[in-house]
Amino acid sequence: MYRRVRVLLVEDEEIHRVVARAVLRAAGVEVDEAENGAEAVRRVRERVTGGAYDLILTDKQMPVMDGHEATRQIRAMGVATPIVAVSSDALPSDVQAFIAAGADDFTPKLRPFPDPDVQPLTKEKLGHILSKFGLA
């Protein structure tokens, strides 16, 4: 469906990785995974010279290093890869904090969400994200 896209999924909870992995693979996306922000920063650093990621999807609350700090560190490396926060913490202040850290977009993990215009990560939502960043 989409051109070969490589995504880094940053999520500490296995059940959320399983669901996101299924959505991503169903869309034909190649998935690498990191269980915390420090691992994500390491993986991005390793790929800077050998084929960067096309998209990074990151959770907020994780052990070792949270999504905000990982996003800041990735941006500090000069990496321009789109970063989309995928979190259960979806109040406007949570979204704004991620954007301030350097994320390009936000989508909630869970449904239902109070705002009908905000959809969780589904195959359709992923398609929208990939299109938004010119990856579809």
Side-chain angles (χ1 to χ4, degrees):
M1 178 178 228
Y2 304 104
R3 71 174 180 83
R4 198 59 164 163
V5 173
R6 173 170 266 170
V7 173
L8 177 61
L9 172 63
V10 188
E11 170 61 63
D12 63 318
E13 294 288 336
E14 184 174 0
I15 187 65
H16 293 298
R17 283 196 315 272
V18 168
V19 171
R21 183 184 318 125
V23 170
L24 291 162
R25 287 188 177 157
V29 172
E30 185 177 333
V31 184
D32 284 347
E33 298 178 20
E35 292 185 18
N36 61 62
E39 185 180 345
V41 170
R42 180 184 59 77
R43 286 178 175 266
V44 169
R45 186 176 292 119
E46 290 170 356
R47 287 213 155 274
V48 167
T49 58
Y53 292 104
D54 298 300
L55 178 67
I56 299 168
L57 299 174
T58 185
D59 187 22
K60 175 185 173 187
Q61 295 179 356
M62 297 176 286
V64 184
M65 181 187 295
D66 69 18
H68 292 157
E69 184 58 26
T71 299
R72 280 190 284 275
Q73 288 192 24
I74 290 167
R75 291 297 187 227
M77 288 188 281
V79 173
T81 299
I83 298 174
V84 177
V86 183
S87 179
S88 298
D89 299 330
L91 294 173
S93 59
D94 297 316
V95 174
Q96 195 55 18
F98 246 121
I99 300 302
D104 298 286
D105 202 356
F106 179 93
T107 193
K109 271 187 202 174
L110 306 173
R111 190 178 186 135
F113 187 73
D115 183 344
D117 294 328
V118 179
Q119 299 296 317
L121 188 63
T122 60
K123 188 174 178 184
E124 292 76 24
K125 177 69 175 187
L126 177 63
H128 173 74
I129 291 168
L130 294 174
S131 292
K132 180 176 181 173
F133 296 107
L135 301 171

